[in-house]
Amino acid sequence: MSIISDIYSQFYAAFDRTFLVDDRYQIFLHGIRNTLIITAGALVVGVIIGVALAVAKVYYYQTGPFSYKESFKNFLKTKRPIFLGHIFQKLLDQLITCYLILFRGTPVVVQLMIWAFVVFSTTNELIVAILGFGINSGAYVAEIVRAGIMAVDKGQTEAGRSLGLSAWQTMWHIVLPQAFKNVLPALGNELIALLKETSIVGYIAVVDLTKAAALVRARTFDAFVPLLCVALAYLLMVFLLSIIQQFIEKRLQASDRR
Amino acid sequence: MTETNDSSVVIQVKGLRKSFGDHEVLCGIDETIHKGEKVVIIGPSGSGKSTFLRCLNLLEIPTQGQIWIHGQEITGPKCDVDSLRQRMGMVFQHFNLFPHMTILENITLAPICKKGMTKTEAINKAKKLLDRIGLSEKADTYPNMLSGGQKQRVAIVRALAMDPDVMLFDEPTSALDPEMVGEVLNLMKELAVSGMTMAVVTHEMGFAREVGTRVLFMDSGIILEQNKPDEFFANPKHPRLKDFLSKVL
């Protein structure tokens, strides 16, 4: 009995030191808040970038591919602006490819520090973190969404265009909703990875959940309680996200029922 | 831009060629379709009949040649292809209904987006059309709850919702169970009777004979022979057509 009560009282003391003394729980709350803000913000930025890049890339391969030389020759011959458009499309496609190589090929911590200390050395770190993670995540989302768009039957686009819808209307009303349904599991993965990846923002002096634990740990010299509690908090948040994901998937399955 | 001033000409095709890589699928097609005609295009698979039909609304970009729809050159540089497409309905072999939308949404999407109809107007119109094909009670279900024949009839009605003056049919019954072919052909016959201009690629010789005003036979990318249906089937001239008809009839 005495061993158990001993452990209990020790744990209680550690808990007290970690959370209650000096209202330290507020650091954790502040950390959770930042973790969620960065994740949500980066998700929005990432999805906007990802969808835009995926659509641009798919559009290029549906209408092209073009060559600079041919397009330029055709432009000189016919003077039709569409050939300049082809040149621009090819350039854009290559820029997007560079973006994907760059942001998928370097560690996100390094990217984040470059944004924070090299590019924007003075601005609000929270916004830098949102942009940094969003731009990184956008590269992954682009490839996910591209796969989803390409999995939608070509006949869908043809049906849309044959009704007189523009390429953009067809993409927005017909292809993207179906693509979104295709990629929801992969997007869920990306979101979960993003949430956990934000645990490195301490590197650019943003106090997120992980950094909060580190700060408290440095005060109390106790690693056990803060780290375990933080791990548990991440686990809960991820668990919640996967429940939300399942819920959305179920709702989108309405059209699958027979 | 107008090739002919004859207002009864709906579609005019001149020197149409289409290649995929080194393979030439259409090797020079000249064809004129007048208002109210029901042109049925038959031929062996790979003869280019689907490609020909798909060139008419620019789902395939011709490699060479010109196409005029209502006197407007659809292959020309300044053509508003989207607005011309609104006047040409197309029905596909695999229906291509939008699986994430209800039947009603499938039908109302284009009228709302393109004709500036309000939602209520479009829904009323869609309901009337569904009534006509006896599928009103399916309005709020999703496409995969319908049979193949029902899907294809909805696809036809979806095209009709844009009030097209030409309808293109690309093997509309080829993906259907035999027992469902009839209902789709009947709807197409109704449409023909109502005076719609139609171009139909099909393997249904009975339909060609009964509904067609002109039958075209395509082989290896050209129109080998064309005639009124009676004459076409009773008295084929080209040996290739004789051979083809002996196999399918």
Side-chain angles (χ1 to χ4, degrees):
Chain A
M1 272 309 273
S2 75
I3 296 175
I4 292 173
S5 67
D6 222 35
I7 290 176
Y8 175 77
S9 62
Q10 267 190 28
F11 183 79
Y12 182 79
F15 187 87
D16 189 53
R17 254 179 292 140
T18 304
F19 291 109
L20 302 180
V21 173
D22 292 343
D23 283 346
R24 284 181 188 138
Y25 68 93
Q26 287 200 338
I27 303 179
F28 287 95
L29 287 182
H30 182 72
I32 285 191
R33 196 191 117 232
N34 278 349
T35 295
L36 289 176
I37 288 176
I38 294 168
T39 307
L43 176 74
V44 172
V45 174
V47 166
I48 291 173
I49 291 179
V51 171
L53 298 193
V55 168
K57 246 185 161 344
V58 170
Y59 186 70
Y60 174 71
Y61 281 97
Q62 273 175 0
T63 48
F66 308 110
S67 90
Y68 286 125
K69 221 172 129 188
E70 286 287 312
S71 304
F72 193 65
K73 259 199 241 160
N74 283 334
F75 175 69
L76 288 184
K77 215 164 65 189
T78 61
K79 299 276 186 262
R80 280 169 63 179
I82 187 166
F83 292 112
L84 284 185
H86 291 174
I87 291 174
F88 174 73
Q89 264 185 281
K90 168 137 191 154
L91 187 69
L92 188 67
D93 181 71
Q94 287 181 333
L95 284 176
I96 293 172
T97 307
C98 289
Y99 173 89
L100 296 183
I101 292 172
L102 213 61
F103 287 94
R104 292 196 303 171
T106 52
V108 66
V109 196
V110 177
Q111 291 170 24
L112 208 57
M113 289 197 288
I114 292 176
W115 287 126
F117 305 135
V118 181
V119 185
F120 313 104
S121 46
T122 53
T123 13
N124 183 338
E125 280 90 357
L126 203 59
I127 290 176
V128 173
I130 288 173
L131 285 178
F133 280 111
I135 289 169
N136 178 266
S137 178
Y140 291 92
V141 174
E143 289 296 85
I144 293 172
V145 173
R146 189 167 68 91
I149 292 176
M150 290 196 307
V152 175
D153 183 31
K154 220 174 149 248
Q156 293 289 312
T157 307
E158 290 180 352
R161 297 307 304 273
S162 79
L163 286 167
L165 300 186
S166 66
W168 171 245
Q169 285 171 323
T170 305
M171 184 54 84
W172 183 253
H173 293 289
I174 296 166
V175 178
L176 280 181
Q178 294 180 58
F180 179 69
K181 193 170 142 187
N182 290 342
V183 301
L184 198 66
L187 272 185
N189 256 354
E190 174 59 22
L191 177 57
I192 288 171
L194 180 63
L195 175 80
K196 292 182 296 179
E197 253 174 17
T198 59
S199 59
I200 54 155
V201 283
Y203 273 95
I204 60 165
V206 175
V207 179
D208 73 321
L209 188 52
T210 306
K211 185 70 181 177
L215 288 175
V216 171
R217 194 164 48 106
R219 282 283 182 77
T220 61
F221 303 110
D222 172 37
F224 184 79
V225 173
L227 287 181
L228 242 63
C229 288
V230 161
L232 199 68
Y234 278 111
L235 191 65
L236 278 175
M237 287 192 279
V238 169
F239 184 65
L240 212 70
L241 284 181
S242 37
I243 286 179
I244 295 173
Q245 182 196 333
Q246 277 173 22
F247 175 75
I248 299 176
E249 261 181 64
K250 277 233 174 70
R251 289 209 42 183
L252 290 181
Q253 272 162 11
S255 61
D256 292 340
R257 254 176 255 129
R258 278 169 189 274
Chain B
M1 284 255 242
T2 313
E3 170 72 1
T4 164
N5 290 320
D6 185 353
S7 64
S8 76
V9 172
V10 180
I11 300 175
Q12 188 167 29
V13 179
K14 224 176 147 189
L16 174 63
R17 285 170 181 274
K18 173 71 184 175
S19 322
F20 293 107
D22 290 333
H23 179 57
E24 192 164 48
V25 183
L26 297 178
C27 319
I29 289 187
D30 298 287
E31 179 55 40
T32 305
I33 297 177
H34 292 266
K35 196 168 183 338
E37 270 197 300
K38 292 90 179 77
V39 176
V40 181
I41 304 156
I42 64 171
S45 52
S47 58
K49 38 191 201 323
S50 282
T51 308
F52 171 54
L53 200 70
R54 290 160 57 83
C55 279
L56 294 182
N57 67 353
L58 242 53
L59 281 186
E60 302 288 352
I61 312 287
T63 318
Q64 242 184 69
Q66 289 160 294
I67 300 170
W68 291 265
I69 310 289
H70 296 292
Q72 246 180 304
E73 192 188 349
I74 193 167
T75 42
K78 279 190 188 130
C79 178
D80 180 0
V81 179
D82 290 347
S83 73
L84 272 178
R85 278 183 180 141
Q86 288 171 40
R87 299 169 65 187
M88 322 174 69
M90 179 142 190
V91 176
F92 300 86
Q93 182 177 2
H94 295 288
F95 331 129
N96 297 346
L97 293 181
F98 310 131
H100 61 298
M101 295 181 186
T102 63
I103 301 304
L104 206 60
E105 287 166 346
N106 263 278
I107 301 172
T108 54
L109 174 68
I112 292 173
C113 278
K114 280 292 162 181
K115 298 198 100 182
M117 276 194 194
T118 65
K119 217 175 162 190
T120 9
E121 279 172 345
I123 286 176
N124 285 339
K125 177 158 198 193
K127 284 193 168 153
K128 264 184 213 147
L129 286 164
L130 280 175
D131 225 17
R132 182 168 150 194
I133 58 170
L135 289 176
S136 312
E137 81 280 15
K138 301 281 187 192
D140 295 317
T141 58
Y142 287 94
N144 73 359
M145 299 171 80
L146 304 186
S147 72
Q150 291 173 330
K151 279 184 204 172
Q152 193 62 299
R153 284 187 291 145
V154 169
I156 292 173
V157 156
R158 178 177 69 180
L160 290 179
M162 292 299 283
D163 296 317
D165 27 38
V166 196
M167 286 284 284
L168 310 175
F169 293 86
D170 188 5
E171 304 201 23
T173 57
S174 298
L176 294 176
D177 287 344
E179 53 175 340
M180 292 168 181
V181 170
E183 56 187 90
V184 172
L185 290 183
N186 281 337
L187 177 58
M188 289 168 64
K189 276 176 209 165
E190 257 177 55
L191 207 59
V193 170
S194 75
M196 178 66 76
T197 310
M198 294 161 69
V200 186
V201 169
T202 187
H203 295 294
E204 298 289 331
M205 297 303 151
F207 179 84
R209 202 192 298 249
E210 192 183 335
V211 180
T213 52
R214 194 148 56 95
V215 186
L216 311 183
F217 176 67
M218 280 186 70
D219 191 31
S220 13
I222 50 170
I223 298 174
L224 267 190
E225 186 166 338
Q226 57 168 303
N227 217 328
K228 293 215 158 45
D230 301 340
E231 190 65 3
F232 183 90
F233 288 106
N235 207 353
K237 294 185 185 65
H238 201 283
R240 187 69 193 86
L241 174 58
K242 282 181 189 166
D243 182 46
F244 179 75
L245 288 179
S246 73
K247 280 176 190 150
V248 296
L249 286 180

Short mmCIF file of all heavy atoms in Angstrom, two decimals, chain A residues 38 41-50 53 99-100 102-104 108 111-112 115 119-120 127-142 190 194 197:
data_model
loop_
_atom_site.label_atom_id
_atom_site.label_comp_id
_atom_site.label_asym_id
_atom_site.label_seq_id
_atom_site.Cartn_x
_atom_site.Cartn_y
_atom_site.Cartn_z
N ILE A 38 -1.69 27.25 -35.98
CA ILE A 38 -0.72 27.00 -37.06
C ILE A 38 -1.23 25.88 -37.97
O ILE A 38 -1.18 25.97 -39.20
CB ILE A 38 0.66 26.63 -36.48
CG1 ILE A 38 1.24 27.83 -35.74
CG2 ILE A 38 1.61 26.21 -37.59
CD1 ILE A 38 2.45 27.50 -34.90
N GLY A 41 -4.28 27.16 -40.01
CA GLY A 41 -3.84 28.15 -41.00
C GLY A 41 -3.06 27.48 -42.12
O GLY A 41 -3.29 27.75 -43.31
N ALA A 42 -2.13 26.60 -41.73
CA ALA A 42 -1.30 25.94 -42.74
C ALA A 42 -2.15 25.03 -43.62
O ALA A 42 -1.89 24.89 -44.81
CB ALA A 42 -0.20 25.13 -42.07
N LEU A 43 -3.19 24.43 -43.03
CA LEU A 43 -4.08 23.58 -43.83
C LEU A 43 -4.75 24.41 -44.93
O LEU A 43 -4.76 24.03 -46.10
CB LEU A 43 -5.14 22.94 -42.94
CG LEU A 43 -6.17 22.11 -43.70
CD1 LEU A 43 -5.55 20.80 -44.17
CD2 LEU A 43 -7.40 21.86 -42.86
N VAL A 44 -5.27 25.58 -44.52
CA VAL A 44 -5.96 26.43 -45.50
C VAL A 44 -4.98 26.86 -46.60
O VAL A 44 -5.24 26.69 -47.80
CB VAL A 44 -6.56 27.68 -44.80
CG1 VAL A 44 -7.09 28.66 -45.83
CG2 VAL A 44 -7.67 27.25 -43.85
N VAL A 45 -3.81 27.37 -46.18
CA VAL A 45 -2.82 27.80 -47.17
C VAL A 45 -2.41 26.62 -48.05
O VAL A 45 -2.36 26.73 -49.29
CB VAL A 45 -1.57 28.38 -46.46
CG1 VAL A 45 -0.48 28.69 -47.47
CG2 VAL A 45 -1.94 29.63 -45.68
N GLY A 46 -2.17 25.47 -47.42
CA GLY A 46 -1.71 24.28 -48.16
C GLY A 46 -2.74 23.81 -49.16
O GLY A 46 -2.41 23.47 -50.30
N VAL A 47 -4.01 23.79 -48.76
CA VAL A 47 -5.05 23.29 -49.67
C VAL A 47 -5.24 24.26 -50.84
O VAL A 47 -5.35 23.84 -51.99
CB VAL A 47 -6.38 23.06 -48.93
CG1 VAL A 47 -7.52 22.87 -49.91
CG2 VAL A 47 -6.26 21.84 -48.04
N ILE A 48 -5.22 25.57 -50.54
CA ILE A 48 -5.37 26.54 -51.64
C ILE A 48 -4.22 26.40 -52.64
O ILE A 48 -4.43 26.26 -53.84
CB ILE A 48 -5.42 27.99 -51.08
CG1 ILE A 48 -6.74 28.19 -50.31
CG2 ILE A 48 -5.33 29.00 -52.22
CD1 ILE A 48 -6.83 29.50 -49.59
N ILE A 49 -2.99 26.37 -52.11
CA ILE A 49 -1.84 26.22 -53.00
C ILE A 49 -1.92 24.88 -53.74
O ILE A 49 -1.76 24.80 -54.95
CB ILE A 49 -0.52 26.28 -52.19
CG1 ILE A 49 -0.30 27.68 -51.66
CG2 ILE A 49 0.65 25.86 -53.06
CD1 ILE A 49 0.96 27.82 -50.83
N GLY A 50 -2.21 23.83 -52.97
CA GLY A 50 -2.21 22.48 -53.56
C GLY A 50 -3.22 22.34 -54.68
O GLY A 50 -2.89 21.84 -55.75
N LEU A 53 -2.14 24.43 -57.77
CA LEU A 53 -1.04 23.84 -58.52
C LEU A 53 -1.48 22.58 -59.25
O LEU A 53 -1.10 22.34 -60.39
CB LEU A 53 0.13 23.51 -57.59
CG LEU A 53 0.78 24.69 -56.86
CD1 LEU A 53 2.11 24.27 -56.25
CD2 LEU A 53 1.01 25.86 -57.80
N TYR A 99 9.00 24.01 -57.67
CA TYR A 99 8.42 24.20 -56.33
C TYR A 99 8.30 22.86 -55.61
O TYR A 99 8.69 22.73 -54.45
CB TYR A 99 7.05 24.86 -56.51
CG TYR A 99 6.22 25.00 -55.26
CD1 TYR A 99 6.33 26.13 -54.45
CD2 TYR A 99 5.31 24.01 -54.89
CE1 TYR A 99 5.55 26.26 -53.32
CE2 TYR A 99 4.53 24.14 -53.76
CZ TYR A 99 4.66 25.26 -52.98
OH TYR A 99 3.89 25.40 -51.86
N LEU A 100 7.77 21.87 -56.32
CA LEU A 100 7.59 20.56 -55.70
C LEU A 100 8.93 19.97 -55.28
O LEU A 100 9.08 19.43 -54.18
CB LEU A 100 6.88 19.60 -56.66
CG LEU A 100 5.45 19.98 -57.05
CD1 LEU A 100 4.84 18.91 -57.96
CD2 LEU A 100 4.58 20.17 -55.83
N LEU A 102 11.73 21.54 -54.65
CA LEU A 102 12.34 22.34 -53.59
C LEU A 102 11.71 22.03 -52.22
O LEU A 102 12.41 21.76 -51.25
CB LEU A 102 12.12 23.81 -53.93
CG LEU A 102 13.20 24.77 -53.50
CD1 LEU A 102 14.50 24.38 -54.20
CD2 LEU A 102 12.80 26.19 -53.90
N PHE A 103 10.37 22.07 -52.16
CA PHE A 103 9.73 21.99 -50.84
C PHE A 103 9.52 20.57 -50.36
O PHE A 103 9.31 20.34 -49.18
CB PHE A 103 8.42 22.79 -50.85
CG PHE A 103 8.68 24.26 -50.84
CD1 PHE A 103 8.73 24.98 -52.02
CD2 PHE A 103 8.94 24.92 -49.65
CE1 PHE A 103 9.00 26.33 -52.02
CE2 PHE A 103 9.21 26.28 -49.63
CZ PHE A 103 9.24 26.99 -50.82
N ARG A 104 9.55 19.60 -51.28
CA ARG A 104 9.49 18.23 -50.80
C ARG A 104 10.88 17.69 -50.55
O ARG A 104 11.05 16.67 -49.89
CB ARG A 104 8.75 17.34 -51.81
CG ARG A 104 7.27 17.69 -51.90
CD ARG A 104 6.48 16.62 -52.56
NE ARG A 104 7.01 16.32 -53.91
CZ ARG A 104 6.62 15.31 -54.65
NH1 ARG A 104 5.72 14.46 -54.18
NH2 ARG A 104 7.13 15.11 -55.85
N VAL A 108 11.42 20.43 -43.36
CA VAL A 108 10.55 21.56 -43.08
C VAL A 108 11.14 22.47 -41.99
O VAL A 108 10.94 23.68 -42.02
CB VAL A 108 9.12 21.06 -42.73
CG1 VAL A 108 9.11 20.30 -41.45
CG2 VAL A 108 8.14 22.21 -42.69
N GLN A 111 13.37 24.84 -43.84
CA GLN A 111 12.54 25.82 -44.57
C GLN A 111 12.02 26.89 -43.61
O GLN A 111 12.06 28.09 -43.89
CB GLN A 111 11.35 25.13 -45.22
CG GLN A 111 11.71 24.23 -46.37
CD GLN A 111 10.53 23.39 -46.82
OE1 GLN A 111 9.37 23.76 -46.61
NE2 GLN A 111 10.81 22.25 -47.41
N LEU A 112 11.53 26.40 -42.45
CA LEU A 112 10.93 27.30 -41.48
C LEU A 112 11.95 28.32 -40.99
O LEU A 112 11.66 29.52 -40.88
CB LEU A 112 10.44 26.46 -40.31
CG LEU A 112 9.26 26.99 -39.53
CD1 LEU A 112 8.08 27.21 -40.45
CD2 LEU A 112 8.89 26.02 -38.42
N TRP A 115 12.61 30.89 -43.65
CA TRP A 115 11.55 31.90 -43.68
C TRP A 115 11.70 32.88 -42.52
O TRP A 115 11.62 34.09 -42.69
CB TRP A 115 10.16 31.26 -43.56
CG TRP A 115 9.66 30.51 -44.76
CD1 TRP A 115 9.22 29.22 -44.78
CD2 TRP A 115 9.52 30.99 -46.09
NE1 TRP A 115 8.83 28.87 -46.04
CE2 TRP A 115 9.00 29.95 -46.86
CE3 TRP A 115 9.80 32.22 -46.70
CZ2 TRP A 115 8.74 30.07 -48.22
CZ3 TRP A 115 9.54 32.35 -48.06
CH2 TRP A 115 9.02 31.28 -48.81
N VAL A 119 14.31 35.29 -44.66
CA VAL A 119 13.38 36.04 -45.50
C VAL A 119 12.63 37.11 -44.72
O VAL A 119 12.75 38.30 -45.00
CB VAL A 119 12.39 35.09 -46.20
CG1 VAL A 119 11.52 35.88 -47.18
CG2 VAL A 119 13.14 33.98 -46.95
N PHE A 120 11.85 36.69 -43.74
CA PHE A 120 11.13 37.70 -42.95
C PHE A 120 11.76 37.78 -41.57
O PHE A 120 11.30 37.08 -40.67
CB PHE A 120 9.67 37.32 -42.69
CG PHE A 120 8.91 36.84 -43.89
CD1 PHE A 120 8.63 35.50 -44.05
CD2 PHE A 120 8.44 37.75 -44.82
CE1 PHE A 120 7.89 35.06 -45.13
CE2 PHE A 120 7.70 37.31 -45.90
CZ PHE A 120 7.43 35.96 -46.05
N ILE A 127 2.62 34.00 -37.95
CA ILE A 127 2.25 34.08 -39.36
C ILE A 127 3.32 33.42 -40.22
O ILE A 127 3.02 32.70 -41.18
CB ILE A 127 2.02 35.55 -39.77
CG1 ILE A 127 0.74 36.02 -39.08
CG2 ILE A 127 1.91 35.69 -41.27
CD1 ILE A 127 0.41 37.46 -39.29
N VAL A 128 4.58 33.64 -39.85
CA VAL A 128 5.66 32.98 -40.58
C VAL A 128 5.50 31.47 -40.50
O VAL A 128 5.65 30.75 -41.49
CB VAL A 128 7.03 33.40 -40.02
CG1 VAL A 128 8.14 32.58 -40.67
CG2 VAL A 128 7.26 34.88 -40.25
N ALA A 129 5.12 30.98 -39.32
CA ALA A 129 4.94 29.53 -39.16
C ALA A 129 3.81 29.03 -40.03
O ALA A 129 3.93 28.00 -40.71
CB ALA A 129 4.67 29.20 -37.69
N ILE A 130 2.68 29.76 -40.03
CA ILE A 130 1.54 29.34 -40.86
C ILE A 130 1.95 29.29 -42.33
O ILE A 130 1.69 28.31 -43.03
CB ILE A 130 0.36 30.32 -40.67
CG1 ILE A 130 -0.26 30.13 -39.29
CG2 ILE A 130 -0.69 30.11 -41.75
CD1 ILE A 130 -1.33 31.15 -38.93
N LEU A 131 2.63 30.36 -42.79
CA LEU A 131 3.06 30.38 -44.19
C LEU A 131 4.06 29.26 -44.48
O LEU A 131 3.97 28.56 -45.47
CB LEU A 131 3.67 31.74 -44.54
CG LEU A 131 2.66 32.88 -44.69
CD1 LEU A 131 3.39 34.18 -44.99
CD2 LEU A 131 1.67 32.55 -45.80
N GLY A 132 5.02 29.11 -43.57
CA GLY A 132 6.07 28.11 -43.78
C GLY A 132 5.49 26.71 -43.90
O GLY A 132 5.78 25.99 -44.86
N PHE A 133 4.65 26.35 -42.94
CA PHE A 133 4.04 25.01 -43.00
C PHE A 133 3.07 24.90 -44.17
O PHE A 133 2.98 23.86 -44.82
CB PHE A 133 3.32 24.68 -41.69
CG PHE A 133 4.24 24.24 -40.61
CD1 PHE A 133 4.46 25.04 -39.50
CD2 PHE A 133 4.89 23.02 -40.69
CE1 PHE A 133 5.32 24.64 -38.50
CE2 PHE A 133 5.75 22.61 -39.69
CZ PHE A 133 5.97 23.43 -38.59
N GLY A 134 2.31 25.97 -44.43
CA GLY A 134 1.34 25.95 -45.53
C GLY A 134 2.02 25.75 -46.87
O GLY A 134 1.58 24.93 -47.68
N ILE A 135 3.12 26.48 -47.09
CA ILE A 135 3.82 26.37 -48.37
C ILE A 135 4.43 24.99 -48.52
O ILE A 135 4.40 24.39 -49.59
CB ILE A 135 4.89 27.49 -48.47
CG1 ILE A 135 4.19 28.84 -48.64
CG2 ILE A 135 5.83 27.24 -49.62
CD1 ILE A 135 5.10 30.03 -48.49
N ASN A 136 4.94 24.46 -47.41
CA ASN A 136 5.48 23.10 -47.45
C ASN A 136 4.39 22.08 -47.73
O ASN A 136 4.50 21.22 -48.60
CB ASN A 136 6.16 22.80 -46.11
CG ASN A 136 6.70 21.38 -46.06
OD1 ASN A 136 6.03 20.48 -45.59
ND2 ASN A 136 7.89 21.18 -46.59
N SER A 137 3.30 22.21 -46.98
CA SER A 137 2.21 21.25 -47.12
C SER A 137 1.58 21.34 -48.51
O SER A 137 1.17 20.32 -49.08
CB SER A 137 1.16 21.54 -46.04
OG SER A 137 0.08 20.69 -46.17
N GLY A 138 1.53 22.56 -49.07
CA GLY A 138 0.97 22.76 -50.41
C GLY A 138 1.61 21.86 -51.44
O GLY A 138 0.94 21.35 -52.35
N ALA A 139 2.92 21.63 -51.31
CA ALA A 139 3.62 20.78 -52.26
C ALA A 139 3.09 19.35 -52.20
O ALA A 139 2.90 18.69 -53.22
CB ALA A 139 5.12 20.80 -51.99
N TYR A 140 2.85 18.87 -50.98
CA TYR A 140 2.32 17.51 -50.84
C TYR A 140 0.87 17.44 -51.29
O TYR A 140 0.47 16.52 -52.00
CB TYR A 140 2.44 17.03 -49.38
CG TYR A 140 3.87 16.80 -48.98
CD1 TYR A 140 4.61 17.82 -48.38
CD2 TYR A 140 4.51 15.59 -49.21
CE1 TYR A 140 5.93 17.65 -48.03
CE2 TYR A 140 5.82 15.40 -48.87
CZ TYR A 140 6.54 16.43 -48.27
OH TYR A 140 7.84 16.25 -47.95
N VAL A 141 0.08 18.44 -50.86
CA VAL A 141 -1.34 18.45 -51.23
C VAL A 141 -1.49 18.50 -52.76
O VAL A 141 -2.37 17.86 -53.33
CB VAL A 141 -2.08 19.63 -50.57
CG1 VAL A 141 -3.51 19.73 -51.06
CG2 VAL A 141 -2.07 19.47 -49.06
N ALA A 142 -0.60 19.25 -53.42
CA ALA A 142 -0.68 19.36 -54.88
C ALA A 142 -0.62 17.98 -55.53
O ALA A 142 -1.40 17.67 -56.42
CB ALA A 142 0.45 20.24 -55.41
N GLU A 190 -2.34 13.78 -44.50
CA GLU A 190 -1.51 14.98 -44.60
C GLU A 190 -1.79 15.92 -43.42
O GLU A 190 -0.88 16.48 -42.83
CB GLU A 190 -1.78 15.66 -45.95
CG GLU A 190 -1.09 17.00 -46.15
CD GLU A 190 0.42 16.94 -46.06
OE1 GLU A 190 0.99 15.85 -46.25
OE2 GLU A 190 1.02 17.99 -45.77
N LEU A 194 0.73 17.07 -40.61
CA LEU A 194 0.95 18.51 -40.43
C LEU A 194 0.83 18.89 -38.96
O LEU A 194 1.68 19.60 -38.41
CB LEU A 194 -0.07 19.27 -41.28
CG LEU A 194 -0.03 20.79 -41.24
CD1 LEU A 194 1.30 21.28 -41.79
CD2 LEU A 194 -1.17 21.37 -42.05
N GLU A 197 3.84 17.73 -37.19
CA GLU A 197 5.03 18.43 -37.65
C GLU A 197 5.16 19.81 -37.01
O GLU A 197 6.27 20.32 -36.85
CB GLU A 197 4.98 18.61 -39.17
CG GLU A 197 5.94 17.72 -39.92
CD GLU A 197 5.72 17.84 -41.42
OE1 GLU A 197 5.09 18.81 -41.86
OE2 GLU A 197 6.20 16.95 -42.13
#
